[in-house]
Amino acid sequence: VHSFLRSVRFNNSVGEKISFDKNGEFIGGFDIINWITFPNQSFLRANVGVIDPTAEKFFNISVNFITWPVGFNQALPLSLCNDPCETGHSKAKKEGESFCCYDCHLCPEGKISKEKDIDDCSPCPEDQYPNPGKNMCIPKRITFLSYEEPLGISLTVLSLCFSSVTTLVITIFMKHKDTPIVKANNRNLTYTLLVSLLLSFLCVFLFVGRPNTIVCLLRQPAFGLIFSVAVSCVLAKTFVVVLAFMATKPGSRLRKWVGVKMVSFILLSCSLIQICVCAVWLITSPPYPDFDMKSMSEEVILECNEDSVMFYCVLGFMGFLALVSFSAAFLARKLPDSFNEAKFITFSMLVFCSVWLCFIPTYLSTRGKYMLAVEIFSMISSSAGLLVSIFFPKCFIIVMRPELNDKHQLMKRKF
């Protein structure tokens, strides 16, 4: 009989299909009936809901259609396992409990719920973020490194200070251009290095303020080209020192390389390579203003989109020049004292390389305006390292110890 009942399928009086599953349990729904009684002992059956396991909503009842007995004067019973979830929360079913029993979980990061007792939280648009109660979305504020905030002001003031110091050094060298200490170190090359350092400090102003298309196109290429010229000058100074010493040896063929031609070749070739790299970058994937809505939860970052391998090519070539300069200067550091500018160059390039080696991991681990601040600080500190290491000892002799600014003294002393 049981096996027969499991296979029974028929339609009841209202046309509903009646059947049983493999366990012999009834498959189908149930009507929820409200029995309404009258004073004359008669009654009426009213359908006020349904329980249907196959429907999307398992349990559905119309509370407003229920008629309670006249003598029922108590609070209406609530068929709830727990209180409804508040806004900012979503329901999570309790395992092993009835379908109406659930936990209320706070909406996850980036999501909200505006209504009570909802099944899932909804995400905020990319340009908005949830309020603390997670029941509404708030527009994100647009941020960039500006002149109005302390960080932008500090970097700008620091840049202006070093620009002023560089201008002062240029003035001192030009005023004493015919003295031995200035002439001994190739005046034109010295002026080129000082001007490139001045421009590198002033280049900071391209990185502070609201980005636009022109600024984004000029920012990194200008930085790469100016720094390449500065490092090329240091490289040329190093080669001049080494070649000048080697050319003094009897029968040396290097004398023809000592002079303006060698310096010009180094400067022009290094600058031309960097110009070509920057030109390829601007042609293939030029930087442009963009909104970064994902890095910060409550901010939209207005930045120049420079996500290109060419940016690292610019840094890589500059690093290559710095490494060659450092290596050459380090090998020449024990030359006679009259040629010992290599010692100052070695120290300056050590500072330069250290700054930019620290820059790379720090730059990649920061986001937003702080990423830009890291690059600006690296620019200022590396340029300041070159300025202080190479030119301050000479300025000290020119201004404070003029009696040492003599050809015979320079042949004997370190400067």
Side-chain angles (χ1 to χ4, degrees), residues 162-163 166-167 170 188-204 222-234 237 267 271 352 379 382-384 386-387 390-391:
F162 279 108
S163 299
T166 308
T167 305
I170 293 174
N188 293 333
L189 188 59
T190 298
Y191 294 150
T192 304
L193 176 56
L194 284 170
V195 171
S196 62
L197 289 176
L198 177 61
L199 292 176
S200 68
F201 289 125
L202 296 176
C203 187
V204 169
F223 150 70
L225 184 58
I226 291 170
F227 267 73
S228 293
V229 172
V231 180
S232 299
C233 289
V234 177
K237 273 180 169 290
L267 283 179
S271 301
F352 188 92
M379 292 166 55
S382 58
S383 300
L386 294 177
L387 179 67
I390 296 176
F391 294 104

Side-chain angles (χ1 to χ4, degrees), residues 301-413:
I301 303 169
L302 178 57
E303 62 181 4
C304 291
N305 191 321
E306 299 157 349
D307 189 15
S308 172
V309 69
M310 299 307 295
F311 172 63
Y312 297 99
C313 291
V314 170
L315 289 180
F317 180 69
M318 194 172 67
F320 169 75
L321 293 179
L323 189 60
V324 173
S325 297
F326 173 75
S327 301
F330 181 78
L331 295 174
R333 73 191 186 283
K334 293 185 178 180
L335 292 179
D337 290 348
S338 54
F339 297 97
N340 77 337
E341 191 180 23
K343 297 179 180 179
F344 298 110
I345 293 175
T346 302
F347 182 74
S348 66
M349 296 316 298
L350 179 63
V351 173
F352 188 92
C353 294
S354 300
V355 168
W356 288 104
L357 283 176
C358 295
F359 160 79
I360 294 174
T362 309
Y363 182 82
L364 295 176
S365 62
T366 53
R367 290 291 179 270
K369 59 186 177 183
Y370 301 105
M371 176 185 286
L372 211 56
V374 168
E375 184 174 358
I376 294 173
F377 183 78
S378 300
M379 292 166 55
I380 294 175
S381 55
S382 58
S383 300
L386 294 177
L387 179 67
V388 172
S389 303
I390 296 176
F391 294 104
F392 271 31
K394 299 178 178 61
C395 288
F396 176 78
I397 291 177
I398 293 172
V399 177
M400 305 300 295
R401 302 290 300 275
E403 70 276 7
L404 299 180
N405 193 1
D406 178 80
K407 184 177 181 179
H408 298 290
Q409 292 288 339
L410 295 178
M411 295 295 292
K412 297 187 300 180
R413 294 177 177 271

Side-chain angles (χ1 to χ4, degrees), residues 38-335:
F38 298 98
N40 60 0
Q41 301 301 314
S42 62
F43 61 89
L44 177 66
R45 291 182 300 177
N47 192 333
V48 294
V50 66
I51 296 176
D52 188 357
T54 61
E56 183 177 352
K57 193 170 184 180
F58 178 82
F59 179 81
N60 189 12
I61 186 169
S62 301
V63 178
N64 295 332
F65 293 164
I66 299 176
T67 302
W68 298 94
V70 177
F72 186 83
N73 56 5
Q74 303 176 18
L76 296 180
L78 293 176
S79 180
L80 292 176
C81 183
N82 48 263
D83 294 331
C85 292
E86 297 294 329
T87 57
H89 296 74
S90 62
K91 297 191 297 185
K93 188 180 183 303
K94 291 182 178 180
E95 294 296 330
E97 298 283 344
S98 175
F99 75 93
C100 63
C101 296
Y102 49 82
D103 291 319
C104 295
H105 291 170
L106 187 66
C107 289
E109 189 69 28
K111 292 187 175 183
I112 63 165
S113 63
K114 296 181 179 180
E115 301 176 2
K116 292 184 177 182
D117 223 30
I118 65 168
D119 295 324
D120 195 15
C121 300
S122 56
C124 285
E126 281 192 339
D127 59 345
Q128 297 180 12
Y129 70 98
N131 67 336
K134 296 198 173 183
N135 54 12
M136 64 179 296
C137 293
I138 303 173
K140 294 181 179 180
R141 62 182 183 276
I142 298 176
T143 62
F144 54 89
L145 187 61
S146 68
Y147 293 103
E148 287 78 22
E149 61 182 301
L151 183 59
I153 294 173
S154 301
L155 293 172
T156 304
V157 171
L158 193 61
S159 173
L160 287 174
C161 289
F162 279 108
S163 299
S164 302
V165 173
T166 308
T167 305
L168 179 61
V169 173
I170 293 174
T171 304
I172 292 173
F173 269 69
M174 292 186 70
K175 186 176 180 180
H176 300 84
K177 62 182 179 180
D178 294 323
T179 59
I181 198 169
V182 177
K183 294 170 66 176
N185 292 288
N186 194 321
R187 282 180 299 188
N188 293 333
L189 188 59
T190 298
Y191 294 150
T192 304
L193 176 56
L194 284 170
V195 171
S196 62
L197 289 176
L198 177 61
L199 292 176
S200 68
F201 289 125
L202 296 176
C203 187
V204 169
F205 292 96
L206 290 174
F207 291 80
V208 183
R210 190 181 185 93
N212 56 51
T213 303
I214 301 299
V215 169
C216 288
L217 289 174
L218 293 177
R219 177 186 287 179
Q220 298 295 356
F223 150 70
L225 184 58
I226 291 170
F227 267 73
S228 293
V229 172
V231 180
S232 299
C233 289
V234 177
L235 179 62
K237 273 180 169 290
T238 307
F239 270 88
V240 166
V241 170
V242 175
L243 291 177
F245 174 72
M246 297 179 66
T248 59
K249 296 180 179 180
S252 175
R253 298 181 180 179
L254 297 175
R255 292 183 181 180
K256 62 181 179 179
W257 292 100
V258 179
V260 179
K261 290 184 179 180
M262 184 65 176
V263 173
S264 301
F265 173 76
I266 293 175
L267 283 179
L268 291 176
S269 59
C270 294
S271 301
L272 186 61
I273 292 174
Q274 191 69 290
I275 288 173
C276 292
V277 174
C278 293
V280 172
W281 183 9
L282 294 178
I283 292 172
T284 57
S285 55
Y288 59 92
D290 193 19
F291 290 100
D292 180 5
M293 301 183 184
K294 297 180 179 179
S295 296
M296 308 294 284
S297 59
E298 299 181 6
E299 297 176 0
V300 174
I301 303 169
L302 178 57
E303 62 181 4
C304 291
N305 191 321
E306 299 157 349
D307 189 15
S308 172
V309 69
M310 299 307 295
F311 172 63
Y312 297 99
C313 291
V314 170
L315 289 180
F317 180 69
M318 194 172 67
F320 169 75
L321 293 179
L323 189 60
V324 173
S325 297
F326 173 75
S327 301
F330 181 78
L331 295 174
R333 73 191 186 283
K334 293 185 178 180
L335 292 179

